[in-house]
Amino acid sequence: MRFNVSSTSLSNRLQTISRVQSSKNALPILDCILFELANGELKMTASDSETTMITTLEITDAEGEGKFAIGSKQLISSIKEISEQPITFNIDPDTFAIEITYQNGKYNLVGQNGYEFPSPCSVSDISRSIAIDSQILMNGINRCLFAAADDELRPQMNGVYFDMTPESITFVASDGHKLVRNRVFSVHSDEPSAFILPKKPALLLKAVLPKAEGESLIRFDERNAEIQLPDYTISCRLIEGRYPNYNSVIPQDNPFRVTADRLAFISALRRVSVFASQSSALIKLHVDQGTLTVSAQDLDFSTSAEEHLMCDYDGTAMSIGFNGPFLLDVLNSITSNEVVLELADPSRAGVITPAGPYLNEDLIMLLMPMMLKD
């Protein structure tokens, strides 16, 4: 077998799909990238047995067909050091000896039989599908993923929940302390359906979607999903089980509304958080007529900080505590200039939304409070 390929294109694709690989694999061949040469195209596959990522690359002067696998670490490290130029692969189909030739030299590697590489998780013929704009999919995952849990006792919470209805698609993630619900009305399904996408494929999508254009196709059944992007295909095993009723935990009647500049709020939080207790990361918010006070203290080291922000609020003065990093994550996941913080009392969850509606979207973020000592 023989083919020519661009060194830069090959290096970029290899580095992207290698993110799916695990540091500890049950099968040694999963430390390799699978190459499949057929019909003048080169298909490359990486997998950790649960999640598989596939990409296809244009090649020239292809001769022969077949499969072979190459250890990913050595291959990626060597190819990325070659400047942009055509490189030639020569593969002995009997011994899997591989010679990579470039302008100033060559590499000699030993590959493996590609037919020993495990097949990816496949979606059954009885599956459902939905087409979604790649940028909408990226926004939905980006806004939710930070809130997903990492809980062995509640595996259903360890991913992003896709809830599809004839009216909308809703992206949901929660770890019990924070919750994100991003409802998009411009995308809908013919009939109600849902699945839970694990964190790892969601992180892979977050990495490749910014460069994707056009629509992505999601096919899924009860156990597996296949997400077809313009340049990549990701197959994965879904999280089984029933996702909790997320709508039931979102307060509907928080009477106090605080509107503040988002970037100023983030900046104040970053400065004040330096003085928060390392064990609790507690940030205290105090709202009064037109003023939002952000404060923190560490009693063990007798340090404290306080900062005042202008806000739109004319209700009763009140104080509430939040975990600082969680609150920053929420604010960083919103893109509007101003945010609205809806409160009821110091023991009930705060609801944070963009000030002003997103186009064809409804974004709600919920954050559980922390107990204040004073």
Side-chain angles (χ1 to χ4, degrees):
M1 291 181 285
R2 181 182 182 278
F3 61 88
N4 292 343
V5 64
S6 161
S7 61
T8 303
S9 298
L10 178 62
S11 178
N12 291 340
R13 296 293 179 92
L14 286 173
Q15 291 183 61
T16 299
I17 66 172
S18 67
R19 297 182 185 188
V20 76
Q21 292 179 310
S22 174
S23 57
K24 295 180 180 179
N25 288 309
L27 299 174
I29 199 167
L30 291 177
D31 293 328
C32 300
I33 303 287
L34 173 66
F35 290 76
E36 185 173 357
L37 188 62
N39 301 320
E41 283 190 335
L42 179 66
K43 184 167 76 172
M44 295 180 291
T45 303
S47 178
D48 67 353
S49 76
E50 293 283 324
T51 305
T52 301
M53 198 167 185
I54 302 171
T55 186
T56 303
L57 199 58
E58 290 185 3
I59 56 175
T60 58
D61 299 330
E63 297 177 5
E65 294 186 348
K67 296 182 180 181
F68 60 96
I70 309 177
S72 61
K73 288 184 178 180
Q74 188 177 43
L75 178 64
I76 292 171
S77 298
S78 59
I79 296 295
K80 73 178 181 181
E81 299 300 332
I82 301 176
S83 59
E84 168 53 28
Q85 60 184 275
I87 57 178
T88 302
F89 278 67
N90 277 292
I91 305 98
D92 186 324
D94 297 321
T95 64
F96 298 104
I98 299 165
E99 182 182 80
I100 302 174
T101 308
Y102 56 101
Q103 185 176 355
N104 299 319
K106 65 179 181 179
Y107 300 141
N108 287 300
L109 306 171
V110 178
Q112 297 186 45
N113 187 347
Y115 292 93
E116 297 176 1
F117 202 89
S119 300
C121 303
S122 59
V123 178
S124 67
D125 294 334
I126 309 174
S127 64
R128 298 178 181 178
S129 63
I130 183 169
I132 179 171
D133 184 88
S134 297
Q135 296 307 301
I136 292 176
L137 180 59
M138 179 187 72
N139 290 336
I141 290 174
N142 284 350
R143 290 171 184 157
C144 291
L145 191 53
F146 77 92
D150 190 9
D151 189 342
E152 293 181 358
L153 299 178
R154 295 184 298 173
Q156 294 89 349
M157 309 286 281
N158 299 343
V160 177
Y161 183 55
F162 287 61
D163 190 4
M164 291 157 282
T165 68
E167 293 78 33
S168 64
I169 181 172
T170 305
F171 303 90
V172 185
S174 176
D175 62 359
H177 302 286
K178 50 190 180 291
L179 179 145
V180 179
R181 187 193 74 185
N182 185 197
R183 183 171 291 157
V184 181
F185 298 102
S186 60
V187 181
H188 44 81
S189 174
D190 293 336
E191 57 185 60
S193 55
F195 64 87
I196 308 171
L197 185 71
K199 262 188 178 181
K200 186 166 186 176
L203 285 167
L204 292 170
L205 284 170
K206 184 177 179 179
V208 300
L209 280 170
K211 296 180 181 178
E213 297 180 356
E215 286 193 335
S216 299
L217 178 66
I218 303 176
R219 297 176 58 243
F220 60 96
D221 55 24
E222 292 184 354
R223 298 192 62 186
N224 303 310
E226 181 182 274
I227 304 163
Q228 298 174 6
L229 309 178
D231 294 321
Y232 300 92
T233 298
I234 298 175
S235 302
C236 66
R237 198 174 301 282
L238 298 174
I239 297 175
E240 298 183 28
R242 188 179 184 87
Y243 201 82
N245 183 359
Y246 56 90
N247 286 314
S248 66
V249 301
I250 300 176
Q252 303 297 323
D253 56 352
N254 283 4
F256 304 118
R257 290 172 57 91
V258 184
T259 304
D261 182 271
R262 185 180 68 91
L263 293 179
F265 197 178
I266 290 173
S267 297
L269 273 172
R270 286 176 174 163
R271 289 188 288 268
V272 169
S273 294
V274 176
F275 296 86
S277 167
Q278 293 186 1
S279 59
S280 67
L282 173 65
I283 296 292
K284 177 181 175 182
L285 304 182
H286 179 77
V287 289
D288 205 344
Q289 300 290 327
T291 304
L292 170 62
T293 303
V294 183
S295 61
Q297 62 177 345
D298 190 339
L299 296 176
D300 294 336
F301 294 94
S302 299
T303 59
S304 64
E306 182 178 284
E307 208 168 302
H308 305 279
L309 301 173
M310 298 290 292
C311 71
D312 182 7
Y313 179 72
D314 57 5
T316 306
M318 67 174 294
S319 298
I320 190 169
F322 290 113
N323 177 286
F326 290 175
L327 183 55
L328 274 172
D329 284 340
V330 167
L331 293 174
N332 282 322
S333 297
I334 298 174
T335 56
S336 62
N337 293 329
E338 292 185 321
V339 292
V340 177
L341 178 59
E342 298 178 3
L343 305 171
D345 62 61
S347 63
R348 293 180 62 186
V351 175
I352 302 172
T353 61
Y358 280 17
L359 184 63
N360 292 322
E361 290 187 45
D362 176 31
L363 178 62
I364 288 179
M365 302 198 178
L366 179 146
L367 193 58
M368 296 301 294
M370 297 179 68
M371 185 178 295
L372 295 172
K373 295 182 180 179
D374 54 349

